[in-house]
Structures are given as structure tokens and as C-alpha cells.
Amino acid sequence: MTPADTMPTRYPALTRALHWIVAALVIATIPAGVLMLQPDMPRGLRDTLFILHKNGGVIILALVLLRLVWRVLYPAPPLPSSLSPLQAQVARGAHFGLYALLLVMAVSGYIRVRAGGFPIEMLDAIGLPGFVPRSDSLADTAKWVHATARYALIALILAHVGAALHHLRKRDGVFARIWPPLGRGRA
Ligand code: HEM
Ligand code: HEM
């Protein structure tokens, strides 16, 4: 048996669970963010979407930070040798980009809301201070960053899902690495 035979081929179960929970939250948070800004949205529904969006975004931030700490403790398993060094490099760059953009989106959203003097219900309920000074110009800058970075995040998610489906079709073992920790699914 060579050392390669004993290396893990999947992410740890917590990583796989976090991946799918964050993916579901992001897939719900983006349309909620766009819908809540539509001018003809009824007031009650708009308020509900704002609450879900802001608090969902804070949960995404917390889970991404947890994931990054976990990733340092448990690095990603090696990619299948069928992938070229260039493919592996592109995958690493795309994953780094996804984490960076999730952080930019969540932090800019947080600053936009706090600097604008608005509530984040979940954090207010536990008495967490705002950390950000009240400032209209800071709120406007954060709003611009939030509205602009979303295009990069959406583009990268589409590329990521496209690449994942490509690997699923090829059944080369990449999809199985992140399969949710339920049952014995493999691809
Ligand atoms: C929509 C939000 C999503 C985000 C933000 C996201 C983010 C990520 C990130 C950051 C990684 C790298 C994990 C690491 O090495 O730490 C990853 C891995 C992976 N994701 Fe996603 N993902 C999303 C949705 C999806 C979807 C819908 C699919 C499937 C159709 C998918 C399939 C995969 C696969 C197969 C891997 C493993 C890649 C590897 O072997 O290294 N992801 N994802
Ligand atoms: C990864 C997490 C997040 C994603 C993917 C996301 C995504 C979006 C998107 C796509 C929009 C619509 C932008 C537009 O049409 O101009 C939006 C708007 C907004 N988001 Fe987020 N968001 C996230 C986190 C947060 C957080 C944590 C907060 C606050 C705690 C927040 C607060 C807002 C607010 C207040 C708006 C409306 C901006 C305005 O005043 O025009 N978001 N978000």
C-alpha cells in the first residue's frame, strides 16, 4: 500500500455539511436581496425579505468563518490524479474567489446596514454591539460594494456549478468529495 492509498479522498463530514448549508443559504439570499428592492413589492413582504436577507447573510458570514478555520485544521484532500495541474490550479483559484466574495458580500452588507443605522434583528436580540460608526457616506460606499460584488459572485457560482456538473457527468470522483454526509452517494 502506497501513502497515496491511505490519503482521504473526501472532505470531512462537517465540511460537506457546511458546503451544502451555505450553498442553500446563498441560493436563497441572492434572490431575496434582489426581490426586496423591487419598487412594487408589498410593504409586509418587503420587510420580511429584508429580515430574512440580513439575518441569513449574517449566518452565512458565521458559517464561512467557521469553514475557513476548519479548512486550516483539516486541509482539502488531494484532487484525483486525472485532473491536470492547470485544472487543479483553476479549481483552487475559484474556491478562493468564492470564499473571498462571500466575505466581501457579507461584510459590506453588514457595514451598509450598521452605518445606515438599521437593525439586524438576530444580533440586536442577543445585545451584540454594532462595531460600525453611523455614517451615510460609509453606508453608501458599502452599498456600492455590495451591489457590484454580487455580479462577480453570481458569475463565479455559475462557473462553479457548471464545473461541478461536468465532473458529475464524467463520474471522476470530484463530486463524491463534497457529497452531503447522508447515505452512501458517490459519483
Ligand atoms: C451556490 C453556492 C455555492 C458556493 C458558495 C460553493 C462554494 C464552494 C467552495 C468554496 C468549495 C471549495 C471547498 C474547499 O475546498 O474548502 C466548493 C466545493 C465544491 N462544490 Fe460548491 N458551492 C456552491 C454550490 C455548489 C453546487 C450547487 C454544486 C453542485 C452542483 C457544488 C459542487 C461542488 C463540488 C463538487 C465541490 C468539490 C470540489 C473539489 O473536489 O475540490 N457547489 N464549493
Ligand atoms: C453572502 C451574503 C450575501 C449575499 C450573497 C447578498 C446578496 C445581495 C444582493 C444580490 C442584493 C441586491 C443588490 C441590488 O440589487 O442592488 C443585496 C442587497 C442588500 N443586502 Fe445583501 N447579501 C449578503 C449579505 C448581506 C448581509 C449580511 C446584510 C446585512 C446584515 C445584507 C444587507 C443587504 C441590504 C440592506 C441590501 C439592500 C441594499 C440597498 O440598500 O440597496 N446583505 N444583497
Side-chain angles (χ1 to χ4, degrees), residues 72-149:
V72 172
L73 297 176
Y74 298 94
L79 279 161
S81 53
S82 56
L83 265 69
S84 71
L86 177 65
Q87 280 177 309
Q89 198 65 34
V90 170
R92 270 193 292 274
H95 295 162
F96 174 84
L98 284 166
Y99 285 130
L101 284 166
L102 287 178
L103 290 178
V104 167
M105 288 302 293
V107 171
S108 61
Y110 179 89
I111 294 175
R112 191 264 174 273
V113 168
R114 287 311 201 191
F118 298 106
I120 300 178
E121 295 70 14
M122 199 176 66
L123 301 183
D124 296 342
I126 57 169
L128 203 77
F131 302 113
V132 176
R134 174 81 180 82
S135 154
D136 287 339
S137 64
L138 180 60
D140 282 347
T141 306
K143 177 176 165 176
W144 179 85
V145 171
H146 202 66
T148 308

Side-chain angles (χ1 to χ4, degrees), residues 11 19-20 23 27 67 71 76 79 95 98-99 102 157 160-161 164-165 174-175 177-178:
Y11 286 94
H19 173 270
W20 292 106
I27 288 168
R67 165 67 189 128
R71 199 181 202 287
L79 279 161
H95 295 162
L98 284 166
Y99 285 130
L102 287 178
I157 288 175
H160 176 70
V161 173
L165 295 179
V174 169
F175 206 88
R177 290 154 54 80
I178 202 83

Side-chain angles (χ1 to χ4, degrees), residues 2-42:
T2 68
D5 294 327
T6 58
M7 282 185 188
T9 55
R10 293 174 160 215
Y11 286 94
L14 178 65
T15 306
R16 290 183 273 137
L18 282 175
H19 173 270
W20 292 106
I21 293 168
V22 170
L25 285 171
V26 170
I27 288 168
T29 297
I30 293 176
V34 174
L35 279 175
M36 72 195 191
L37 296 177
Q38 298 309 306
D40 48 358
M41 184 60 56

